[in-house]
Amino acid sequence: MSARYEELKGLKNLGQKYAYTDREVMLYAYGIGLGADPMDENELAFVNEGTFTPRPLKVVPTFASVAAWGSGPGEMNLNRVMVVDGERDITFHQPLPVAANITADSSVLEVYDKGKDKGVVIVHQTVLKNEKGEKLATLVASRFARGDGGFGGPNLTQPDPHKIPSRSPDKTIDITTRPDQALVYRLCGDRNPLHSDPEFAKKAGFPRPILHGMCTYGITCRGVLQTYADYDASAFRQHVARFSSPVYPGETVTMDLWKDGNVISFEAKVKSRGVTVIKNGKTVLG
C-alpha cells in the first residue's frame, strides 16, 4: 500500500479542547443572515436573548461547523492553494447548548486518489462531545486537493450523493446575502483572505472576494429552518450539502426544496449568473 495513503489514512487527533459562549452562537446566526429584519421574532430568537419577555436563545444547528473551529485530524501537507471544500455532512445527536466546553475527536475516514494531475479527495470526521463525554454532533467533511494525487492509493469509488427528486420543487425561496456578509462570517473562524481581500481573490482567479462555502451551507440550514422546521433547531437530525460553485456577497440565493416524509431535499442556485451553488442537499428532521 502507498506510504502516502497510509500516512493520510492514519491521521488522528483526539481530545481537542474548545469552548464557546452565547456571543459565538449569536455571531454565527448573524453571519448566515439571521436577524436582517429587526422585527422578525422567529429570527431574533437566534441573535437576541430577549429582555422584557425572557426567552432562551436558540442555536442554529450548523453552528456545529464552527463550534470547534480549527480542529482536525492533523497536518495533511497539501497544496493549500488548490484545496477546495467538497461536501459537509453533519449528524446532530442532541441540540447544541448556548454555551459549552467541548472536546473534538478528529480522524481521516478515507482517501480517494483520483490519479496523477487529477487530485485526491480526503474525507475526515470530527465528533464533538460535551463535558460528560456525550456526543453532540458528528461532522464529516470532504476536501478536494486538486494539486495532489497520483501517489498510488487504492482504487476506491466514492459513495453516490443524495439523489434529488425529479418532480418540481415543493417550495422555492429566495435568501438575500449582504455585500459585507463574508466580512462578518469570517469572524466565526475562517480568516481565509479569499473571502476578504480583493487582491488575493483576483490572484486566485476571482473578480472579487467570494462568500465562504460554509456560510452558504449555513444559509441552506436557515432555509430549511424557515420552511419545514418551523424554526425548531432541535428538529434537525442531519444536514448534508455538496458545494458546486461560489456565491458572491450581495447575491440572492434561491433554494428549491422537496419534502418526502422527514427528509428534505434541496439545491441552491444564483439565478442572476445561472449557476448552481449547492447540489444533492439533504436534511433529516425528527
Side-chain angles (χ1 to χ4, degrees):
M1 188 63 68
S2 161
R4 177 66 171 138
Y5 172 81
E6 294 290 353
E7 173 194 353
L8 289 169
K9 189 76 186 301
L11 288 175
K12 185 178 294 187
N13 193 357
L14 307 180
Q16 302 162 85
K17 296 184 182 299
Y18 291 87
Y20 66 85
T21 68
D22 62 351
R23 181 184 184 278
E24 287 74 34
V25 166
M26 289 186 282
L27 178 61
Y28 176 81
Y30 182 65
I32 63 170
L34 287 166
D37 180 352
M39 297 301 290
D40 186 332
E41 293 288 342
N42 287 317
E43 294 196 1
L44 283 175
F46 293 90
V47 294
N48 174 42
E49 62 276 19
T51 304
F52 286 110
T53 303
R55 63 162 179 258
L57 184 68
K58 292 184 178 182
V59 183
V60 179
T62 50
F63 172 73
S65 64
V66 299
W69 177 257
S71 61
E75 179 55 56
M76 297 183 183
N77 297 310
L78 303 171
N79 181 350
R80 294 187 179 183
V81 177
M82 300 291 284
V83 175
V84 296
D85 265 324
E87 181 177 338
R88 280 300 189 284
D89 179 348
I90 302 181
T91 298
F92 308 99
H93 304 292
Q94 57 179 291
L96 294 172
V98 172
N101 293 305
I102 60 176
T103 58
D105 294 339
S106 302
S107 60
V108 170
L109 295 178
E110 194 51 85
V111 179
Y112 299 94
D113 185 0
K114 294 182 173 294
K116 185 173 176 57
D117 300 323
K118 294 183 179 179
V120 61
V121 175
I122 302 167
V123 181
H124 59 91
Q125 158 181 291
T126 297
V127 180
L128 305 182
K129 298 178 181 178
N130 61 20
E131 289 186 286
K132 297 179 181 179
E134 300 167 335
K135 290 183 180 180
L136 294 171
T138 297
L139 294 70
V140 176
S142 70
R143 60 179 67 180
F144 180 33
R146 297 169 293 169
D148 296 87
F151 49 75
N155 185 19
L156 302 174
T157 301
Q158 290 179 256
D160 292 332
H162 173 65
K163 189 174 182 179
I164 298 297
S166 58
R167 68 180 187 274
S168 297
D170 298 322
K171 284 183 184 290
T172 297
I173 59 172
D174 289 331
I175 298 177
T176 302
T177 65
R178 299 187 308 273
D180 65 345
Q181 194 146 343
L183 297 179
V184 175
Y185 185 83
R186 73 191 297 263
L187 302 179
C188 295
D190 189 347
R191 299 290 187 93
N192 186 337
L194 177 61
H195 309 293
S196 60
D197 187 329
E199 181 181 13
F200 187 95
K202 288 179 180 178
K203 289 184 181 296
F206 298 96
R208 56 193 176 97
I210 62 175
L211 192 62
H212 304 69
M214 289 306 294
C215 183
T216 305
Y217 178 77
I219 287 171
T220 62
C221 177
R222 174 187 165 193
V224 178
L225 266 173
Q226 73 183 61
T227 52
Y228 291 113
D230 194 27
Y231 290 95
D232 180 4
S234 68
F236 280 68
R237 298 293 178 265
Q238 185 182 25
H239 191 71
V240 186
R242 279 193 163 195
F243 307 106
S244 57
S245 189
V247 173
Y248 289 97
E251 292 184 322
T252 296
V253 176
T254 298
M255 275 186 75
D256 291 330
L257 303 102
W258 296 260
K259 186 179 188 300
D260 295 286
N262 66 335
V263 175
I264 312 301
S265 302
F266 61 87
E267 288 194 337
K269 64 189 74 172
V270 173
K271 287 183 177 179
S272 61
R273 288 188 290 120
V275 296
T276 298
V277 296
I278 293 290
K279 292 182 177 180
N280 306 110
K282 179 180 75 171
T283 300
V284 179
L285 301 175

